[in-house]
Amino acid sequence: MSKKTLIVIGNGMVGHHFLEQFAASPAANEYEVIAFGEEKQLAYDRVHLSEYFGGSTHEDLAMGTADWYADNHIALKLGEPVLAIDRDRKAVTTPVGRYAYDELVLATGSYPFVPPIEGNDNERCFVYRTLDDLDAIRASADTATTGVVVGGGLLGLEAANALKSLGLEAHVVEFAPRLMPVQLDTDGGAVLRGKVEELGVRVHTEKATTDIVEGENARLRMNFSDGDFLETDLIVFSAGIRPQDTLARQSGLKVGERGGIVVNNQCTTSDPHIHAIGECALWNQRIFGLVAPGYTMARTLSTVLSGDPDAAFTGADMSTKLKLLGVDVGSIGDTHGQTPGARNIRYNDEQAGHYRRMVVSGDGKKLLGAILVGDNSYYDTLLQYALNGIDLPQNAESLILPESQGGVPALGADALPDSASICSCHNVTKGDIRDAIDAGCSDLGGIKAETKASTGCGGCTALLKNVVDSELEKRGVEVSKDLCEHFPFSRHELFHLVKVNGIRTFRTLISQYGRGHGCDICKPAVGSILATCWNEHILATDHVPLQDTNDTFMANMQKNGTYSIVPRIPGGEITPDKLIVLGKVAREYDLYTKITGGQRVDLFGATLSQLPEIWEKLLAAGFETGHAYGKSLRTVKSCVGSTWCRYGVQDSVGMAIFLENRYKGLRAPHKVKMAVSGCTRECAEAQSKDIGVIATENGWNLYVCGNGGMRPRHADLFATDLSDEELIRTIDRVLMFYVRTADRLQRTSVWMENLEGGLDYLKKVVLEDSLGIGAELEEHMEGIVGTYHCEWKTAVEDPEKRKRFREFVNAPNKTDPVQQWTTERDQRRPVLESA
């Protein structure tokens, strides 16, 4: 019996997912399958498209391989677009030839909407959809300084982040009165706007572009209907999508009034042998612009073609959890309270930039929707209340309040019913996860492989891990302490993999020992490990995508979007000439000046473009970076010691300077602070530091693993009456052992408390060399000391690295026209909203 032919038009995420589902279905043996893709590349992950600018390749983003298609007997024809469908003869035509079908699947997706603006066809105007689009944007950005994104929705903000990562001054132009108008309300949009602008992206709302013409000070000029204008070097249109339904229209299939191929609950069009899934399909007058509904359609259609009469697509959850430009944004259900009788509960902390809104039913018992901006830690709990119809607690507001104000802990995995949807992309419930564990899956990786949970958008990762951990613990299984879902190793284990195998890039590490593309947990952690092992510059091409905002620009971003300048002043000792230089620089750039508790002079209020200029002046005067932006040594505080003080018994200043210069290049899991006191009067407060040194008549007493902060901890006495050489050797070993074995973002105090045996064990390892690694730890530290380089000196001397600081290069006075300033105590400071 000859096989039937199934043709799939479209090799995007949804088309590929359908082929995966169909290849595993009972119907696969009945069909010859042919898949057409207009692009020349295999299907790739558009959800993580922006990572292409961070160094990812098509291979990194690819969702399958040519071997997979061959192994599953799917004839894949890339770069061969389908030109027409002949419904009468049941055939499709391409530039190569004609192919007959028995069943046809349209997974043609969507195309970017470009507003009908005169000049939108300029060679410097782009869309943000494919890898080819991104290649064109990158090529244009090489000779540009400013970029504008038209559209302030999800993809628009992603595109703005991409422009920023290319070193451009980024602007977002949105027609609506707020960003993300579909997902957010007015207050949520305002909070998001504030956070986005703090990160250096200019936002222009309620702007309608009338035309695009040649600019005077830039390549292009956008004229707005209100008479205003904006000049830029390139424009990226990201103003929404439209269903790609051209083939359907040409072949006479029924389409919606505003586009989209009309389908029924079985994802079948007006032709019983033609089906449509994903963004090209119009179901119940709705187009679904997220990947999860497309995946659900794909699964439904695969089941339909396998002969299941009950298979039906009945809609999809459109909730989203995102991190846009580093800002958490969550949207659940009825965000705008359109359900009759709906009521609202809001929490708005303008100081912290956190906004939360719950939309509840009229009787207050059910959650209908929610909005989160600035903190998505509440998302998983709220989503489960909404999806599963769980009754709200009596004080429903407790679900969005901080714990300090009466908030309740997150909804535990045990409280969820088996029907709770954990992964909406692949329709995986808690019951499915429990079944997979009962069938033999014993870790997170196995669950993901079996159920596909968290392999779509990734928004359910944290909740999935909680459920898996809970179910495994119930069965007496030891729960994995993996760093994240991308690496089946702890930070300690990753450190050894990097060091032993000489791995120098994140890409190499994840390709050999991980999976996926990485996340905000593993990327900075691996960045820290690479810096500790090899001491390469943090703005090296392979390292930039791993850094957060502060490390990316080697300066701490302040609440108003400006940056701080913190030169290192070892031991707090500074010459009058250097003090004069700091004063001159602060006066020239009108910077706020503060002597900190760590005995440094901090300069606040520098714009991004001013950072290299200021550092050039400071470097010329002999200053170095103070690493205030990194997880590294901050300061070594000291008293004046025996040189001046009548009580001092040792030269605390000299020792503090030596320690600071020795460890200033060390990257660690968390920031490290030290202090040296010249006598037991303890004026430097050494016993509250990670490393504290106190002089004695016979040498130095060493204290370790103390800290201030939210949970202050007194340091423990570690060794007494050490000579200079013994002190340095002991500190080398303690710090290196900490760097190698601590968890991500773990202070030395928490690290020691978590060591089995605590302080006594640490003494055995360091003082008695019980593990036989003392010499190795010392040698590693010597390597870090010997390869130290001032990161700012390297950056200002490298033209390519300086491009990252061009944000305000086109502004005439190189200042932020949006930021408002006032004077207080004879110094400039930002205007606060409450002022």
Side-chain angles (χ1 to χ4, degrees), residues 526-567:
V526 172
S528 173
I529 292 171
L530 293 172
T532 302
C533 289
W534 315 120
N535 238 9
E536 294 178 347
H537 200 281
I538 61 172
L539 295 191
T541 302
D542 292 316
H543 295 351
V544 169
L546 309 181
Q547 311 300 341
D548 61 16
T549 299
N550 290 345
D551 261 331
T552 296
F553 299 116
M554 299 190 299
N556 275 340
M557 174 177 280
Q558 304 305 309
K559 65 186 297 180
N560 67 332
T562 59
Y563 294 83
S564 62
I565 305 288
V566 186

Side-chain angles (χ1 to χ4, degrees), residues 339-353:
T339 304
R343 296 186 296 172
N344 296 281
I345 303 173
R346 291 182 173 89
Y347 172 82
N348 194 355
D349 183 346
E350 295 182 356
Q351 182 70 20

Side-chain angles (χ1 to χ4, degrees), residues 242 265 321 451 672 788 812:
R242 297 292 184 268
N265 289 356
K321 180 169 67 171
T451 67
V672 175
Y788 168 78

